[in-house]
Amino acid sequence: MIVYFTGTGNSRYCAAFLGEQLGDSCLDVLPLLQSGAAADLRSERPWVFVTPTYAWRLPRLVRDLIRGGRFSGSRDAYFVMTCGEDIGNAAAWNRRLCEEAGLRYRGTLPVVMPENYIALFTAPGAEEAKAILAEARPVLRQAADWIRAGADFSAGNTGGLDRLKSGPVNSLFYRFYVRTGPFTVSDACVSCGKCQRLCPLGNIRIQEGRPVWGDRCTHCMACICGCPAGAIEYGRISRGKPRYQCPE
């Protein structure tokens, strides 16, 4: 079973591609996250967890879902992590997570996808995004071949900088940068409520027709990139930057 979490569509795209290649089912964990229910899933085929990379690690909400869930049947677990550039030393943390969850770690594969963390970076234009997606597809086909053959994903090389990024920098990122205060909404808001529906942690409520953020956020950027009116910004850094949503 392919289990995925997505904020702006990159990981959904990869999960669907792998599902087609492997003839396997895909499960979006958004309803589980929004309900707060523990995962209780069974699959006789390998578990393939497809997620974005947040500060060179799995998103913490995905880590907690795996750690606190029940995954019966197959014990094999593969990780496919979408990223704008690299995943640091995420593989070591995924291996440790599998030990905690009683799963057999089979490797972590980074897949470069169009950048969408517009709180810091600029999303690509349409043509550049198409080129990035074209380069990602052979990587995903190779991943499917390895899974189908029961082989481990090829291990990448990591160094001191990777360990630093996935260790102390990750902790500092969540402690000092993952905040909701900088989110603002302009008069372009059409009060559609899509941001509220997309928020994986139920952190957005609509008040007097406008979104209001609570104190829980994973910085998935779903609210910004999913806003049909382009009304949501994150501080001054993202102002005027193009949004990106991966095609279905």
Side-chain angles (χ1 to χ4, degrees), residues 4-211:
Y4 73 93
F5 165 68
T6 192
T8 60
N10 280 339
S11 294
R12 179 181 60 241
Y13 179 92
C14 292
F17 191 96
L18 287 170
E20 183 177 343
Q21 293 287 307
L22 294 168
D24 203 353
S25 60
C26 297
L27 176 71
D28 183 355
V29 299
L30 181 62
L32 284 173
L33 295 170
Q34 291 179 329
S35 69
D40 188 359
L41 304 172
R42 182 176 184 85
S43 174
E44 300 307 320
R45 304 181 71 169
W47 297 101
V48 184
F49 297 103
V50 184
T51 80
T53 303
Y54 290 176
W56 300 283
R57 294 249 299 267
L58 282 185
R60 290 188 176 182
L61 76 175
V62 176
R63 176 203 65 187
D64 294 343
L65 181 95
I66 296 173
R67 184 182 283 165
R70 181 172 179 264
F71 298 87
S72 56
S74 175
R75 308 317 300 151
D76 290 338
Y78 293 88
F79 294 84
V80 173
M81 297 180 65
T82 60
C83 60
E85 185 174 344
D86 70 273
I87 62 171
N89 194 35
W93 293 89
N94 292 345
R95 181 185 293 277
R96 190 178 306 174
L97 176 61
C98 284
E99 292 171 357
E100 296 176 17
L103 296 170
R104 184 184 302 114
Y105 177 73
R106 303 303 304 270
T108 299
L109 183 73
V111 180
V112 175
M113 293 286 282
E115 181 62 64
N116 54 25
Y117 188 58
I118 62 172
L120 285 178
F121 307 107
T122 299
E127 292 306 311
E128 183 183 356
K130 284 182 183 179
I132 295 171
L133 290 176
E135 292 181 4
R137 287 191 282 270
V139 178
L140 292 167
R141 290 191 188 95
Q142 179 64 77
D145 288 343
W146 280 327
I147 295 168
R148 194 181 297 110
D152 290 347
F153 283 160
S154 179
N157 296 321
T158 56
L161 180 59
D162 297 303
R163 291 188 289 274
L164 178 68
K165 291 189 293 190
S166 297
V169 174
N170 177 275
S171 298
L172 291 170
F173 174 79
Y174 274 93
R175 182 175 180 183
F176 295 109
Y177 195 72
V178 179
R179 296 286 185 271
T180 58
F183 282 108
T184 58
V185 60
S186 73
D187 290 339
C189 176
V190 295
S191 304
C192 66
K194 187 175 181 181
C195 55
Q196 183 182 39
R197 295 191 297 273
L198 289 174
C199 182
L201 293 176
N203 188 52
I204 299 174
R205 71 183 189 279
I206 303 300
Q207 183 174 307
E208 297 180 356
R210 297 293 183 90

Side-chain angles (χ1 to χ4, degrees), residues 206-228:
I206 303 300
Q207 183 174 307
E208 297 180 356
R210 297 293 183 90
V212 176
W213 285 261
D215 59 2
R216 301 170 67 229
C217 184
T218 190
H219 266 211
C220 66
M221 298 295 122
C223 58
I224 289 182
C225 295
C227 178

